Amino acid sequence: MRNGCAGGIIPVTLISTSIKRTEQGSLISTPTIIPRAEHSVSRADISENALKVLYRLNKAGFEAYLVGGGVRDLLLGLHPKDFDVATNASPEEVRAQFRNCRLIGRRFRLAHVHFGREIIEVATFRAHHDQGEGEGRMENGLILRDNVFGSLEDDAWRRDFRINALYYNIADFSLVDYTGGMRDLQNRELHIIGDPVTRFREDPVRMLRAIRFAAKLDFQLEANMAQAIMEQAERLSDVPAARLFEEVLKLFMHGHALRTYELMREYHLFKYLFSETNALLDSHGAYLDPFIRQAMINTDERIQAGKPVTPAFLFAVLLWGPVRRRVELLQEEMSVLDALRTAGDEVVSEMVKQVTLPKRFSLPMREIWQLQARLEMRRGKRPWRLLENRRFRAAYDFMLLREQVGEPLTELCQWWTEFQEEDEDGQQRLIHALPGNRPRRKKQAAKKKRVAPSTLINNT
Ligand code: ATP
Ligand code: MG
């Protein structure tokens, strides 16, 4: 892909959008149209499947535009994560055009056109709820159903941020800018469309999206909007827990987790996703904050290197503070393994009140925690059994992370690193070399084994 273009290639003369009001007060805007010769979005950089969808809709007589992250990221010289299409065809009309198409969503109905693993999202132009036709439902300013259809212009004004409301027209390859998104790309600023308080009330997830885009693009949050986020943060508790789970993944799994975490804390949003962790960060931040930061740095590095990251590991990190805290108390009355199990159950059941955590992630997450105690138990055949555990690698990485931020685990980490590198004889030697694990005389062996105390909860 060609490299960035926001700095300079967007002609300043082309980026003013004029907005007037009618006597009734509704907005009329004249879009800025930027012809193909004057912008850098090229079909060579758009996925073939997205182009197929755009052309097909256009051929069938509908308007069809690429919009959202696809246009924004291409203008910034980045690789778009996915391609979103906007059209005046209704969801049913879209479905009629494609064999490989499914309609999804109730709150926001849209068409998914499937091409193997790639999905092109096709959304019908939406309007604000007092305009357009279709099905819309609001409650206390919160949008419950967002299926009121409208024109291209309506659609532009109901999008979240100005940089996300740029349309690439497949009919003539021009860009259409109603809201001033091109100017924002040039100034590297994030502006919400309309009044921030109203827009965050309609959909509080937009606050998380603001943080995500600011972190990903390294854009400045416009001051009024930044203020509104601080004031409206608690509205996140109105968002269904399942939707928040999807958002958390997007927040931390796209290569800018550290900056996202910093901004979430700064804007008081973290509390509404991870309230116990947030409280511990406020009171015991000296251990927990570096721990989370280091995990975010590692996650970002893995993503940059094209390595997989698992949500189970990420959640294990984000919830480790509350787990550790509980283990501290529970360990008085039960074994550390039982304490970890009980603490894990409690933390997960608190967590899902805020953010859903599907079992396919919460089970491996709990295993990672329990393995923290098992990794200390290195007698007999245990180390080999542990090595074969499917979560061994994640648990080992988790332990290294704890060591990195100052837990007294250096010997244990080195031991396990060597154990993985050695052949069987070497491994046997490592086990025998452990204190209290040397071959004993018969009389000694009969004595009760003394297990070294767990370092899990030591002095940090
Ligand atoms: P990326 O895909 O890189 O995460 P994106 O901007 O494409 O970023 P999507 O979630 O794919 O984000 O949404 C596509 C577009 O739909 C956005 O660019 C925006 O115009 C619009 N949009 C998405 N969510 C909302 C929302 N909650 N409120 C208003 N508009 C939204
Ligand atoms: Mg997108």
Side-chain angles (χ1 to χ4, degrees), residues 67-70 72-73 81-82 84 107 121 158-161 164-165 199 203 205-206 209 212-213 216 243 250:
V67 65
R72 179 196 67 217
D73 290 353
K81 178 165 82 38
D82 50 33
D84 306 294
R107 182 185 168 282
E121 261 187 22
R158 68 91 202 162
R159 287 188 178 262
D160 49 5
F161 304 102
N164 285 349
R199 300 305 312 279
D203 182 4
V205 164
R206 290 173 185 150
R209 292 177 60 85
R212 177 153 68 86
F213 296 128
K216 168 179 162 163
R243 190 162 172 226
K250 289 190 200 162

Side-chain angles (χ1 to χ4, degrees), residues 343-373:
D345 288 347
E346 287 179 14
V347 168
V348 170
S349 56
E350 275 305 306
M351 175 75 214
V352 295
K353 290 180 193 161
Q354 286 183 298
V355 180
T356 305
L357 196 51
K359 282 229 160 48
R360 66 180 188 283
F361 300 127
S362 69
L363 291 178
M365 173 183 76
R366 276 187 252 208
E367 283 179 72
I368 292 172
W369 292 334
Q370 276 164 38
L371 282 164
Q372 298 310 298

Side-chain angles (χ1 to χ4, degrees), residues 26 75 94 106 128 139 172 200 215-216 290 298 309 454:
S26 60
L75 284 167
V94 175
R106 253 157 59 90
H128 277 295
E139 211 172 272
D172 62 4
F200 291 145
K216 168 179 162 163
N298 297 356
V309 288
S454 168

